[in-house]
Amino acid sequence: MSKVSNLVVAVTGIIAVAVYVAVDSFSADDTYTPTVDMGQADWAAIAAWPELIEVPDVESLPDPDRIFTMIVLDDSGSMGDDLEQAKTAVIEAVRMMDRQDRVGVLALNAGLVLPIATVEDVIPRLESTLRPVYSTGSTPLGPALSAARDFLSEEAARSRSFGTYRIIVTTDGAADDPDRLIREVIETVNTTPIQVATIGIGIGARHVLNAAGQTSYVAVDDVGKLSEALQAAVAENADFSPITAFAEGN
Amino acid sequence: MRSLIRPLSIVLALTLGTGTAVAETGDPLAEVVTSPVRDCSGGTTQNMPLIAWGADGVVVHANGNSLTPRPGLLQQAGWELTLSVKDAFAEQVADYLGCDTPFLRGTLGMLMAAAPVTEADPRTEQIVFFKHSWSAGDGIVAAEGIQRPSDLAGKRIAIQAYGPHVDFVGRVLADAGLGFGDVTVVWAEDLTGDGDTPANLFAEGQADAAAVILPDARFVTSGGTVGTGAEGSVKGATILISTLEATSVISDYIAVRADYFDAHREEIAQLVNALFRAEEAMRGFMAEEGNPDRAALAQLMADEFLGGLPAEEGVFLWMDAITDGWSGNARHFADAADPRRFSVLGQEVAASLRGAGMIDFPHELAAAEWDFTALTDGLTNLDDRQIALFNPEKAAQAVNRLRRTGQLDANTKIDFQVYFEPDTPEFPADLYAEDFATILRLASTYSGAIITVEGHADPLHFLRREKEGAAKSELRGIRTSTQNLSLQRAIAVVDALENFAGETGIRVNRDQFIVDGVGISSPAYNPPTTEAEWRQNMRVVFRVLTAQAEATTFDPL
């Protein structure tokens, strides 16, 4: 990304955070407001993602149908008994994926519990890998989102950014640093093609991880709807009908 | 309008037997060589011309690593050959007519240039009986501002008259949509060295581009990069294209007079078998660093072909040639499915030379028409060879880098309009036979070049939803879908191309094609205002990458 783009993103992020904090401070409850200005998509930055990373095994024939997913699992102390429900949701989500897709799991406190691999390789060891993850520690959701993005960047460098990229956050939403979380969400949705989806545990409709039009959301007891929430968009209309306004320079 | 610059200072005065010809460099050979024809049916003790080319080392090796007859494969085959380097082709032709030698050694362009002279008498009609190699050692250098072959329009190009590059330039111009009528040819007398050469004409500013051997190309471009203007380089000069990419363009042969061939067909078949065996042996030991045979032959070539340069130059000379051996000859002369077979190349070369004014009408040179299955004695490897190997991963990485740094456009480009169904990679492949044939011809001609296959999608749906105020997540999703759809389209076209090649028996190296997709980032029409424009946005573009990615991806055999 160019310096100008970086600056635009940074300024957009700062304004967004300022707006968010200002609005949030007037909120009647503890949930985040969905009226945060999330800024505009930087299409040039999205097209240039990931930055030119030299990786040794660039794919000559990447699979455009493949989906790359980094799951961020909230294993913080606030999750408590909900963690087991979150683990079950993660397992269910992975089982819904195509066997050739790639997935990894990053826990907020336990770290990278499952490096990105094919779903086929991950499924047999997923339960045993998640079993020792306990609810403890803080909730660094922002840094985890950033790290998940970096993992996906490496995957994208290998696949020349073809395919679909997702971060699925399984959390109760209580971030240590809400501002950092917002900045990371904004950077992700404005400067990369990565979709952000949340499997939420008691998250209100005004949380940044449940911001309609920016991120996708399903409740933890309704993970079956995740596929629907993340359905691929139509690329081209089936029929032509001109939009004359474009020709007039609008 | 064609304009051939003929410096008055460069006049050939050849005294040939009883006839004297005075002509200018670049005149047709028929005006330069006027010596009489003598009968030629002597025995197998003969002179044979060589040119300063790595593949000619095969003949030297077969001759007992000597220019004079020594024990070796050729003597075993009953031949006593005295070899001599004859880079002045007009002199070679004169020797050939006078039967100082029954052999003629040259590229197909050189042999074709001699056709008006040799084919005028049935005794001297050429029978092309052995293919040495393809060239990976020639190139076209260009001045600053000339970035792609199509930029040569209206420019001056220096070429050695009767040399190996006339048809090379013709091929490159043709694939850029140009002809000799679109450029000014500046003829040079010599190929390389200190005299009247294309490199020197280029360096002196008398030409905007020059067809040269790669050592000269590297010299004027400061090592194959961009000329700095220091140490003899030309400031801003670059290698426009080379036979590292256009690997199946310049081919080297030995021809023999028809009267001699008729009298010695079986002996010449034995000679060919000896050369196949020598090539097989030489290919083996020249690949082994430290091999004493390699050291000896490299030194001999450096001394005899290059006028006493260090031995390593002899190795480089060998590496500039992609020798054919038995399998390459069998394919080239006897496989009707080979897109670069002798007859096809002959037509191309004749068209180029006509365009350059060197022949008046297309000649068809005869081939020996060997039964190659009868020429395998003593050979251990008859496997088919690919001219070039690609590392697809490195190629993909190079393409990625070129795209990201905005350098992917400076290449030969073919827009391939494919009528895809909207939102799918499906298209009626059976309607595109002619396009596939064109692409396969290009792929085989530029067999050392990566070809990118770049899919595109139409942006109208995205633009409409954006205008309607769709959420960012939806727009991002559409963008991702178009990106992936464009790659699917590129893959579908290459699959169809491969099927077409299989059905028509044409060889194709799938690794040469790197699929890519750019989604809606560069539509032909943005926005499309008619259904035709909308359809044309759903397309695939082929790009023949030249002189950019070969260093990391191409491995000539």
Side-chain angles (χ1 to χ4, degrees):
Chain A
M1 188 166 36
S2 69
K3 287 179 180 175
V4 173
S5 299
N6 276 324
L7 186 61
V8 170
V9 169
V11 170
T12 305
I14 290 166
I15 293 170
V17 170
V19 171
Y20 162 74
V21 170
V23 175
D24 191 49
S25 63
F26 293 107
S27 298
D29 55 33
D30 290 338
T31 57
Y32 299 132
T33 172
T35 58
V36 168
D37 181 358
M38 300 290 285
Q40 299 298 313
D42 180 344
W43 298 113
I46 290 171
W49 181 85
E51 289 187 31
L52 203 50
I53 306 169
E54 293 292 336
V55 291
D57 43 1
V58 172
E59 293 178 340
S60 59
L61 189 60
D63 179 358
D65 296 323
R66 192 170 40 184
I67 298 173
F68 301 81
T69 305
M70 199 68 207
I71 295 174
V72 176
L73 176 63
D74 184 349
D75 59 350
S76 64
S78 67
M79 288 288 282
D81 293 341
D82 290 338
L83 179 58
E84 291 310 311
Q85 194 181 7
K87 288 182 192 174
T88 303
V90 167
I91 292 166
E92 192 178 343
V94 173
R95 283 184 178 149
M96 288 190 294
M97 295 174 184
D98 189 277
R99 294 295 181 268
Q100 298 310 311
D101 288 347
R102 291 175 64 80
V103 64
V105 179
L106 174 69
L108 297 189
N109 293 287
L112 185 64
V113 293
L114 200 65
I116 296 179
T118 62
V119 170
E120 189 167 30
D121 290 341
V122 164
I123 282 181
R125 55 198 168 101
L126 185 57
E127 275 191 68
S128 59
T129 303
L130 295 181
R131 195 170 299 130
V133 178
Y134 296 104
S135 171
T136 181
S138 60
T139 317
L141 275 171
L145 202 63
S146 174
R149 206 169 53 226
D150 289 344
F151 286 122
L152 289 177
S153 292
E154 278 192 40
E155 292 289 312
R158 288 191 190 90
S159 65
R160 295 191 280 149
S161 73
F162 292 107
T164 301
Y165 298 84
R166 293 173 177 164
I167 296 174
I168 297 177
V169 186
T170 306
T171 180
D172 61 5
D176 292 343
D177 184 348
D179 295 347
R180 169 81 188 270
L181 174 60
I182 291 170
R183 284 201 303 274
E184 297 297 346
V185 172
I186 286 172
E187 177 159 355
T188 304
V189 300
N190 285 358
T191 68
T192 81
I194 299 170
Q195 298 175 319
V196 178
T198 306
I199 299 174
I201 299 164
I203 293 181
R206 299 167 66 193
H207 194 284
V208 71
L209 289 174
N210 187 7
Q214 310 285 338
T215 61
S216 302
Y217 181 88
V218 295
V220 70
D221 53 2
D222 209 4
V223 173
K225 289 185 177 172
L226 192 62
S227 300
E228 191 183 333
L230 294 171
Q231 200 168 27
V234 167
E236 293 169 336
N237 280 130
D239 300 303
F240 174 75
S241 64
I243 302 176
T244 52
F246 288 134
E248 292 159 8
N250 294 322
Chain B
M1 186 184 71
R2 194 175 78 228
S3 168
L4 305 181
I5 294 177
R6 295 168 179 178
L8 291 175
S9 60
I10 304 165
V11 176
L12 291 178
L14 299 177
T15 302
L16 305 167
T18 57
T20 300
V22 177
E24 294 174 0
T25 304
D27 280 346
L29 266 175
E31 296 172 23
V32 176
V33 181
T34 57
S35 56
V37 174
R38 295 193 177 91
D39 290 339
C40 203
S41 57
T44 54
T45 299
Q46 293 290 346
N47 296 318
M48 178 182 266
L50 306 177
I51 65 175
W53 179 238
D56 288 67
V58 168
V59 186
V60 177
H61 180 56
N63 210 35
N65 284 358
S66 170
L67 299 187
T68 53
R70 297 270 301 272
L73 289 165
L74 282 171
Q75 276 198 349
Q76 290 170 26
W79 286 88
E80 296 284 329
L81 291 184
T82 300
L83 310 176
S84 58
V85 177
K86 290 263 186 181
D87 279 329
F89 190 61
E91 289 180 24
Q92 252 203 66
V93 176
D95 290 347
Y96 175 87
L97 297 179
C99 198
D100 289 338
T101 174
F103 301 110
L104 199 54
R105 168 71 183 91
T107 65
L108 191 52
M110 294 159 73
L111 300 182
M112 190 66 75
V117 180
T118 61
E119 309 306 284
D121 188 314
R123 292 171 293 174
T124 56
E125 284 178 3
Q126 298 177 47
I127 309 294
V128 181
F129 69 89
F130 179 77
K131 180 169 185 287
H132 264 302
S133 61
W134 293 110
S135 164
D138 300 275
I140 298 173
V141 291
E144 192 170 9
I146 299 174
Q147 295 182 323
R148 66 191 81 186
S150 57
D151 294 339
L152 290 169
K155 299 294 194 295
R156 301 163 300 166
I157 307 176
I159 312 171
Q160 186 206 14
Y162 328 118
H165 296 147
V166 182
D167 52 299
F168 172 42
V169 172
R171 181 71 266 158
V172 170
L173 289 175
D175 288 332
L178 304 173
F180 278 103
D182 298 304
V183 300
T184 300
V185 177
V186 183
W187 294 116
E189 189 174 354
D190 302 318
L191 180 62
T192 185
D194 296 329
D196 178 44
T197 68
N200 289 339
L201 290 168
F202 177 66
E204 291 161 5
Q206 295 184 52
D208 308 300
V212 297
I213 59 172
L214 277 186
D216 286 350
R218 295 187 190 106
F219 185 71
V220 298
T221 61
S222 299
T225 56
V226 180
T228 62
E231 298 176 332
S233 69
V234 176
K235 189 170 175 56
T238 56
I239 299 175
L240 185 65
I241 188 169
S242 79
T243 51
L244 281 169
E245 300 91 38
T247 313
S248 303
V249 174
I250 301 180
S251 51
D252 279 82
Y253 302 85
I254 311 175
V256 63
R257 289 171 52 130
D259 54 359
Y260 186 85
F261 182 75
D262 289 342
H264 297 284
R265 183 184 170 91
E266 183 51 38
E267 291 88 340
I268 293 171
Q270 294 304 311
L271 185 153
V272 169
N273 173 255
L275 295 181
F276 287 158
R277 292 165 69 178
E279 189 274 345
E280 186 176 274
M282 198 168 166
R283 175 184 281 253
F285 67 69
M286 289 303 285
E288 294 174 11
E289 210 165 336
N291 185 303
D293 288 335
R294 166 176 146 143
L297 210 52
Q299 187 63 64
L300 193 152
M301 287 194 288
D303 288 341
E304 301 292 344
F305 294 1
L306 302 175
L309 292 181
E312 65 176 9
E313 296 296 333
V315 175
F316 295 147
L317 195 65
W318 168 258
M319 290 166 68
D320 283 344
I322 304 170
T323 55
D324 284 279
W326 182 89
S327 64
N329 273 266
R331 182 201 296 187
H332 187 64
F333 288 112
D335 185 350
D338 180 8
R340 303 302 289 163
R341 60 190 179 278
F342 183 69
S343 57
V344 170
L345 219 59
Q347 290 169 13
E348 277 186 15
V349 168
S352 284
L353 265 61
R354 280 187 82 194
M358 305 208 78
I359 59 174
D360 291 331
F361 61 90
H363 295 266
E364 191 174 339
L365 300 180
E369 298 185 356
W370 300 121
D371 171 5
F372 283 95
T373 61
L375 295 176
T376 59
D377 283 356
L379 298 173
T380 59
N381 186 355
L382 303 180
D383 292 345
D384 196 17
R385 299 172 184 170
Q386 285 195 326
I387 292 171
L389 284 180
F390 292 89
N391 179 327
E393 285 72 31
K394 281 189 177 177
Q397 196 166 29
V399 168
N400 204 32
R401 195 181 309 116
L402 289 170
R403 177 175 300 294
R404 293 300 186 85
T405 52
Q407 299 177 66
L408 199 56
D409 200 38
N411 301 290
T412 302
K413 191 172 87 170
I414 299 170
D415 275 316
F416 184 31
Q417 299 294 342
V418 179
Y419 287 89
F420 291 104
E421 290 300 315
D423 204 36
T424 79
E426 293 166 11
F427 72 103
D430 52 341
L431 299 181
Y432 295 91
E434 199 174 319
D435 301 276
F436 287 152
T438 299
I439 290 159
L440 289 173
R441 185 195 65 74
L442 275 171
S444 58
T445 303
Y446 298 89
S447 53
I450 296 167
I451 298 178
T452 62
V453 188
E454 177 185 285
H456 291 253
D458 175 75
L460 190 57
H461 177 52
F462 178 92
L463 295 171
R464 186 192 306 282
R465 293 298 298 142
E466 186 178 44
K467 190 172 179 61
E468 290 169 353
K472 188 192 300 174
S473 58
E474 181 185 341
L475 295 175
R476 293 165 77 249
I478 295 172
R479 188 210 155 273
T480 296
S481 292
T482 58
Q483 177 91 355
N484 291 329
L485 173 62
S486 66
L487 180 66
Q488 287 170 335
R489 285 176 169 162
I491 292 170
V493 168
V494 176
D495 286 346
L497 184 70
E498 198 172 23
N499 286 340
F500 174 82
E503 288 166 5
T504 51
I506 298 173
R507 287 183 181 81
V508 62
N509 180 0
R510 175 97 191 207
D511 289 346
Q512 188 179 6
F513 295 90
I514 299 299
V515 290
D516 200 5
V518 298
I520 54 175
S521 65
S522 54
Y525 299 95
N526 191 22
T529 56
T530 65
E531 183 165 356
E533 291 178 356
W534 177 62
R535 288 279 186 183
Q536 286 174 57
N537 276 339
M538 304 170 198
R539 71 197 201 280
V540 163
V541 175
F542 284 78
R543 294 173 199 272
V544 182
L545 301 196
T546 53
Q548 295 194 40
E550 78 280 0
T552 55
T553 60
F554 172 64
D555 185 14
L557 291 176

